[in-house]
Amino acid sequence: MVDISNLNTQREIRKKVLLSIEKNSKFPKGASGFFKSTFIHTVEGNKIIVGCDSESIANILKNNFKDLFLTNVASVTGTNFDIVFVPLSELNTKSKDIIIKESEPLYFKGCYLNPDFTFERFVEGPCNREARQAGILVGSNLGKMYNPFYIQGDSGLGKTHLLHAIGHFIRENFPEKKVLCISAQNFFDEYINFTKNAINDLNLTDYLKNFDVLLIDDIQQLKGKEKTLDYFFDIYTYFINNNRQVVLTSDRPQNELVGIPDRLITRFLQGLTVSILKPDFSTCKQILLKKIEFSQLDNNFITDEAIDFIAENYSDSIRQLEGILTRLTFYTTINNIKDQIDLNVVFDALNIKNVKIDKKKKTDASKICSTVADYYSISIEQLTGTVRKYQVALARQISIYLIRTILDIPYAEIGKLFSNRDHSTIIHSITKVEEMLKTDTQLISVIDTLKAKLI
């Protein structure tokens, strides 16, 4: 463990932690004052006692920013310290032993919201747009609508990210609300431990009832655990009857929850259910770019060709994409690769042999649309829809032109891709782009850039 008992070391750590926190993308503007008024009081074992100006500031930091603080302290020190926020009044009147004892949660120790799993880092696409929008709606109307909120989807598609993002959203917008985010396995383990060692002054039921929001990941993990399910039924009923929000995730629909009692399944069906699907090429690419932005690969240049290859061939789950980036990070680090990361580097890193990329074969209408949409920073829905704003309309005409010139698809088929437009509209779009290319040097450059990405 890092020794931070030295006063100068504590000051340096505090300075680095504050700087790291303020650079974090999810750190609210104007909230830095909460941290700047704090100081490291003492270090006891694996706990850092942080002094705060007032009880209200201590509560705000504890309830809304502890996860962020923990992550950045670990990053700066290389050690997993726990953080205890204490107002000055208590520092002056209570012993350190009492402060540490009171600061520890009685149950679900170590269950925190992941600071990286926010809506800002959640890449939206057709596969998850409904789920993300519903998550924000639920977080804005706690217990008033869509209770419970049930998120289903195969493993590795972003359910846990969305669950934690909802938790962060609630804490940021309703700091007075207490949020508990756990897995079904956490719930089972805590219940078993409590029944065996019920020695706390506050029992598990009373502890759970102190929360306003209950977020449970992988509810299917409770299958067959009859006594735990009976206990969960009582807790769940209390939350719903008292308009306290419940959000659940699962890798299957409610009616496929084998080993879960019907009385729970029917209640899960009473709320809102959304699905997260396998991401399409465009969403995979955006997810990759977002994760690269926050990874150690920031200083390296990954070619569009390499990004496209990964997005096209490793799209089964987001976890698979993360695994590929982890492998790339490791490979480029141990081989000291500081130049461009192209397909050859990707092939070497992933140990792929004898692969030939036929770009023309891999280029289809979907890829053309996603490439143009990415270039103009618009969605596929806007591109293929009926929005008539100049930039969207121009991007749509360029897409139609490229699909026709690169793929030679019949006009009627192209029209089906763009909200069933008739062939005359498609011909008009192509003709307009051809006329503009005769004089518009900027458009010529745009077309050349897009073709370079596609051909």
Side-chain angles (χ1 to χ4, degrees):
M1 179 175 288
V2 175
D3 180 13
I4 65 170
S5 58
N6 180 273
L7 184 60
N8 289 330
T9 303
Q10 292 176 7
R11 288 172 176 168
E12 185 63 24
I13 287 174
R14 177 183 176 277
K15 180 179 178 181
K16 290 180 178 179
V17 168
L18 294 183
L19 182 62
S20 178
I21 287 174
E22 289 184 349
K23 288 182 177 180
N24 191 290
S25 63
K26 76 174 286 291
F27 185 71
K29 293 181 180 179
S32 58
F34 295 134
F35 291 99
K36 289 180 178 178
S37 65
T38 64
F39 62 95
I40 296 177
H41 179 259
T42 50
V43 180
E44 296 291 326
N46 72 327
K47 297 185 184 299
I48 300 176
I49 298 177
V50 176
C52 307
D53 281 350
S54 66
E55 183 177 358
S56 61
I57 289 179
N59 288 332
I60 289 172
L61 294 177
K62 176 183 177 181
N63 295 329
N64 298 283
F65 301 109
K66 183 173 181 177
D67 303 339
L68 184 62
F69 212 98
L70 287 170
T71 301
N72 286 278
V73 168
S75 176
V76 170
T77 65
T79 306
N80 292 320
F81 285 102
D82 191 14
I83 311 295
V84 183
F85 298 104
V86 186
L88 285 174
S89 58
E90 292 187 15
L91 285 174
N92 296 330
T93 59
K94 293 183 177 180
S95 71
K96 285 181 281 189
D97 290 340
I98 293 175
I99 287 172
I100 291 173
K101 182 178 180 181
E102 290 182 349
S103 69
E104 292 180 342
L106 292 175
Y107 303 98
F108 303 106
K109 296 177 182 179
C111 293
Y112 299 109
L113 292 174
N114 188 322
D116 292 331
F117 288 173
T118 64
F119 279 121
E120 289 76 14
R121 294 193 179 189
F122 189 89
V123 177
E124 181 180 312
C127 59
N128 59 31
R129 179 169 292 112
E130 182 183 76
R132 183 183 186 278
Q133 292 174 348
I136 293 175
L137 191 61
V138 168
S140 302
N141 300 273
L142 297 176
K144 297 178 181 177
M145 58 194 308
Y146 309 139
N147 198 16
F149 179 41
Y150 188 96
I151 307 166
Q152 66 151 39
D154 291 339
S155 178
L157 297 183
K159 300 187 302 298
T160 300
H161 187 148
L162 181 58
L163 187 75
H164 285 244
I166 293 170
H168 284 300
F169 180 86
I170 294 169
R171 284 187 175 178
E172 291 171 12
N173 290 277
F174 305 98
E176 75 282 4
K177 300 295 184 181
K178 297 185 67 176
V179 178
L180 178 63
C181 184
I182 57 177
S183 69
Q185 188 64 48
N186 295 146
F187 188 92
F188 171 74
D189 292 341
E190 207 66 55
Y191 172 70
I192 296 301
N193 289 335
F194 171 70
T195 56
K196 291 180 178 179
N197 307 287
I199 58 176
N200 291 316
D201 293 333
L202 181 67
N203 68 39
L204 180 58
T205 302
D206 293 334
Y207 180 81
L208 287 167
K209 288 181 178 179
N210 279 328
F211 289 91
D212 302 288
V213 181
L214 182 60
L215 311 175
I216 299 187
D217 202 15
D218 292 324
I219 194 64
Q220 77 278 354
Q221 291 180 346
L222 291 184
K223 68 177 182 179
K225 300 176 172 63
E226 295 182 5
K227 291 184 178 180
T228 306
L229 285 165
D230 287 341
Y231 181 75
F232 175 75
F233 178 83
D234 293 336
I235 297 299
Y236 174 87
T237 301
Y238 174 83
F239 268 76
I240 297 299
N241 289 346
N242 288 275
N243 296 319
R244 300 189 184 188
Q245 187 65 51
V246 178
V247 182
L248 308 169
T249 75
S250 177
D251 63 1
R252 65 203 68 181
Q254 295 94 323
N255 57 8
E256 295 181 13
L257 288 171
V258 179
I260 304 292
D262 288 341
R263 61 176 181 165
L264 268 174
I265 292 176
T266 55
R267 284 165 173 79
F268 293 166
L269 289 167
Q270 289 176 339
L272 174 66
T273 300
V274 296
S275 298
I276 295 181
L277 307 175
K278 179 180 175 182
D280 58 11
F281 169 79
S282 179
T283 305
C284 279
K285 186 173 180 179
Q286 291 305 314
I287 290 171
L288 279 169
L289 293 173
K290 178 69 72 173
K291 291 190 177 296
I292 289 169
E293 180 183 347
F294 293 104
S295 75
Q296 296 179 31
L297 294 172
D298 284 353
N299 296 326
N300 293 312
F301 176 64
I302 305 181
T303 65
D304 288 339
E305 190 176 36
I307 292 291
D308 287 350
F309 176 82
I310 296 172
E312 287 171 348
N313 293 277
Y314 299 94
S315 60
D316 287 342
S317 73
I318 296 171
R319 288 189 190 137
Q320 186 179 32
L321 295 177
E322 291 173 338
I324 296 298
L325 289 183
T326 299
R327 175 63 189 170
L328 273 178
T329 302
F330 170 75
Y331 182 83
T332 54
T333 299
I334 64 172
N335 290 283
N336 197 29
I337 297 175
K338 297 181 179 179
D339 297 325
Q340 197 176 64
I341 298 177
D342 56 17
L343 269 179
N344 291 327
V345 174
V346 172
F347 290 166
D348 289 342
L350 303 181
N351 197 29
I352 298 174
K353 305 295 184 182
N354 302 320
V355 175
K356 294 182 179 180
I357 303 297
D358 184 348
K359 295 181 183 178
K360 288 187 178 181
K361 182 178 180 180
K362 284 189 173 290
T363 298
D364 56 18
S366 176
K367 184 173 180 180
I368 291 173
C369 288
S370 65
T371 302
V372 176
D374 290 344
Y375 183 87
Y376 282 97
S377 299
I378 61 177
S379 68
I380 295 295
E381 287 74 15
Q382 289 176 311
L383 184 74
T384 60
T386 57
V387 177
R388 295 185 178 182
K389 291 183 179 180
Y390 175 76
Q391 186 179 32
V392 177
L394 177 61
R396 184 181 301 126
Q397 290 167 346
I398 290 173
S399 298
I400 292 171
Y401 169 80
L402 290 173
I403 290 173
R404 177 62 179 177
T405 54
I406 294 176
L407 303 177
D408 196 27
I409 293 178
Y411 299 129
E413 292 298 317
I414 298 175
K416 292 179 181 179
L417 300 173
F418 293 85
S419 301
N420 290 316
R421 285 175 166 81
D422 59 45
H423 74 283
S424 61
T425 301
I426 300 303
I427 293 173
H428 172 74
S429 296
I430 296 169
T431 303
K432 185 170 182 178
V433 173
E434 289 174 341
E435 289 298 318
M436 292 174 65
L437 286 173
K438 293 178 180 179
T439 57
D440 191 333
T441 55
Q442 184 176 359
L443 181 61
I444 293 173
S445 177
V446 169
I447 295 294
D448 288 343
T449 299
L450 291 171
K451 282 186 175 180
K453 294 174 180 290
L454 295 165
I455 300 178

